[in-house]
Amino acid sequence: MRSRALDRSALLLQARRTAAPLLLLLVAAAMLLVAPPARGGAPVAAATQACVADAATGCIVGTLRTSAGDPVTGAVVQAVGPAGELTATSDATGRWSIPVTEPGEYVVTLDVATIPAGEVLRDPGNNPRTVQVGLGASAAALFPLGEPAAGGSGGGDEPSDGPTPTPGTDDGGTQSSSTGGGGITASRVAQLTVNGLVFGTLLALASVGLSLIYGTTGLSNFAHGEQVSLGGILAYVGTQLVGLPLIPSAIIAVLLGAASGWLQDAILWRPLRRRGVGMIQQMIVTIGLSMAISYVYQFFFGAGPLRIVTETPTSVTLGPVRLTVTTLWSMLIAVIALAGVAYFLLRTRAGRATRAVSDNPALSAASGISVNRTIRLVWVIGAGLAALGGVLVGLYFGATSWYSGGAMLLLMFAAVTLGGLGAAFGALAGSIVIGLVVELSSLWIPTDMRYASALVILILVLLVRPQGILGRATRVG
């Protein structure tokens, strides 16, 4: 009896030792994948709570940048009005926001003693300035820094070293609609050209995956933008909620994003293909999936910006161009990833099988290629590239959000269509063109309309070359 009891104790001890690592692993996975619901639209653990307008709240928002384009951190802004005397401090991205609970007229003042030494207001007569705020809406109070323009500037956009944040990551969508001020100069054209190349390269990460999926399945995936958002959100969870360093958090985000592509094809798209569901019906499924996933993101993480990193990025100057170190690393990583996709498609057996399935699935199957296995691999690669794009875009714009990928979806489709439907290298070329057009168009048109300019260019190019830049002409009739 005593020997049997000892054996039972030893078995229990061994079971506990075996279960402990597994339990820790499950807890870590749960922490990374599940975050508590965010109420009131505020980020769960953002360094600075961003104001989100609702039925009971209005917002006064703005962004402060130096004359060189660097974000101003720690500047104090005061608003006086029906809700009393309220203050806010600009965060690591230069953004500040003041929530108000009473509508009306507010006098907003920037404390010039808290801006960096050597900086001055471009238009001192606009400090203080008066704004009208209503509940459920946001009002912008901009204080551009830099040398005063002749005759006064009237307050345009603050100069920046990157594009205006995509909808969902900006200050309530209240960017100024000016063309940026300062006129057309060689240094400004150079800065915008580099910005366009960077933005186009990051856009290509998502567009190439979208093109690969379309090429092998014929499916226009309207839920691809949510794959981009997933990458940024997972990186935010890893760095801000779990406390991991940026690089491990980004790697985990990309791996989990790729795993979500495998899961989607396994439980949704392959069963639909096996049942013979048409492409139109599948496309409608992607639209519904996009809406469901995006609102799940909003429920858990709120509508405010989610900052993957809160440290102020270091800027470097390359001739007339100013970029952050984070932007340079993001560009390098994106180029390496795209080069890896090119090598995969051109030099590997699986890549050649992918191109064969894209050209003719029936003939590929007759030749011994596993079409379903190839499509599954394409879903994994496409989702992984989208997640990587979400992480890098979130770092480039300073924040991600529940709708950051959805806001880029039309640009992805424009890039894929412009480059040639189903052509992966065409999606890369189309993304570069879209990036350049989006940035350089702000020289002549309001910043808020720059995404529309990309779609206009798409229409014009397709009128001249319907098959796209690298697409193959097909005979009709």
Side-chain angles (χ1 to χ4, degrees):
M1 293 294 294
R2 183 178 180 183
S3 176
R4 186 177 300 175
L6 290 174
D7 291 341
R8 184 177 301 173
S9 299
L11 288 174
L12 288 174
L13 181 60
Q14 183 177 0
R16 290 175 182 173
R17 291 176 177 175
T18 305
L22 180 59
L23 181 60
L24 290 175
L25 181 62
L26 291 175
V27 170
M31 290 175 64
L32 184 60
L33 292 176
V34 180
R39 301 297 181 183
V44 177
T48 302
Q49 295 295 326
C51 176
V52 178
D54 56 31
T57 307
C59 299
I60 308 173
V61 298
T63 303
L64 290 168
R65 292 187 181 275
T66 66
S67 55
D70 297 325
V72 176
T73 304
V76 177
V77 180
Q78 182 184 68
V80 179
E85 184 177 312
L86 307 167
T87 60
T89 304
S90 59
D91 61 16
T93 64
R95 297 184 179 92
W96 58 268
S97 60
I98 300 176
V100 298
T101 55
E102 296 289 339
E105 194 172 81
Y106 287 80
V107 178
V108 185
T109 306
L110 170 65
D111 185 354
V112 294
T114 60
I115 63 177
E119 295 290 339
V120 295
L121 285 170
R122 186 186 302 169
D123 188 359
N126 274 342
N127 186 33
R129 63 188 309 161
T130 303
V131 296
Q132 189 73 27
V133 186
L135 299 182
S138 296
L142 303 179
F143 298 96
L145 303 181
E147 292 299 326
S153 66
D157 282 345
E158 297 86 3
S160 68
D161 62 344
T164 303
T166 56
T169 63
D170 58 7
D171 297 313
T174 56
Q175 292 291 334
S176 169
S177 58
S178 74
T179 57
I184 301 176
T185 62
S187 60
R188 187 160 181 247
V189 171
Q191 179 71 64
L192 292 176
T193 301
V194 173
N195 290 346
L197 291 174
V198 173
F199 180 55
T201 304
L202 300 184
L203 180 66
L205 287 173
S207 301
V208 168
L210 183 64
S211 181
L212 287 173
I213 292 172
Y214 178 86
T216 53
T217 65
L219 176 64
S220 297
N221 182 18
F222 282 86
H224 198 71
E226 278 57 51
Q227 295 294 138
V228 176
S229 299
L230 178 64
I233 290 175
L234 287 175
Y236 162 79
V237 171
T239 56
Q240 301 301 324
L241 302 187
V242 180
L244 295 175
L246 174 60
I247 294 178
S249 179
I251 293 174
I252 293 174
V254 173
L255 293 177
L256 290 177
S260 72
W262 184 95
L263 191 63
Q264 279 189 59
D265 186 64
I267 67 176
L268 183 59
W269 305 118
R270 184 174 180 180
L272 291 178
R273 291 195 304 269
R274 189 167 56 242
R275 292 176 178 270
V277 177
M279 284 297 127
I280 298 296
Q281 291 90 330
Q282 291 189 42
M283 184 180 68
I284 293 174
V285 171
T286 68
I287 296 174
L289 185 64
S290 169
M291 297 176 64
I293 295 176
S294 62
Y295 286 114
V296 167
Y297 293 160
Q298 186 185 31
F299 176 78
F300 281 101
F301 298 98
L306 307 174
R307 293 172 179 84
I308 300 175
V309 293
T310 57
E311 296 82 4
T312 303
T314 304
S315 296
V316 295
T317 301
L318 305 173
V321 178
R322 177 178 289 270
L323 296 170
T324 65
V325 175
T326 302
T327 296
L328 294 176
W329 277 108
S330 297
M331 184 74 170
L332 178 62
I333 293 171
V335 169
I336 293 174
L338 292 171
V341 172
Y343 179 84
F344 165 78
L345 291 175
L346 298 176
R347 298 295 182 183
T348 66
R349 187 174 182 179
R352 289 191 289 269
T354 300
R355 289 188 288 131
V357 171
S358 178
D359 288 337
N360 194 322
L363 182 59
S364 300
S367 302
I369 296 175
S370 176
V371 175
N372 283 324
R373 185 180 301 173
T374 301
I375 292 176
R376 180 72 54 82
L377 178 62
V378 166
W379 272 100
V380 171
I381 294 174
L385 288 174
L388 177 61
V391 175
L392 298 183
V393 168
L395 293 173
Y396 182 51
F397 286 142
T400 187
S401 79
W402 69 282
Y403 194 61
S404 58
M408 295 175 59
L409 184 63
L410 285 180
L411 295 182
M412 295 180 217
F413 274 113
V416 170
T417 308
L418 184 60
L421 290 173
F425 296 107
L428 172 59
S431 297
I432 297 298
V433 172
I434 292 296
L436 288 171
V437 169
V438 163
E439 288 302 314
L440 291 174
S441 63
S442 62
L443 290 169
W444 300 281
I445 65 175
T447 303
D448 292 342
M449 296 180 60
R450 59 189 192 152
Y451 285 174
S453 68
L455 301 180
V456 171
I457 293 297
L458 168 67
I459 294 172
L460 295 177
V461 170
L462 292 183
L463 287 173
V464 178
R465 187 178 173 83
Q467 69 270 28
I469 297 174
L470 298 183
R472 292 175 297 181
T474 57
R475 182 176 178 179
V476 179

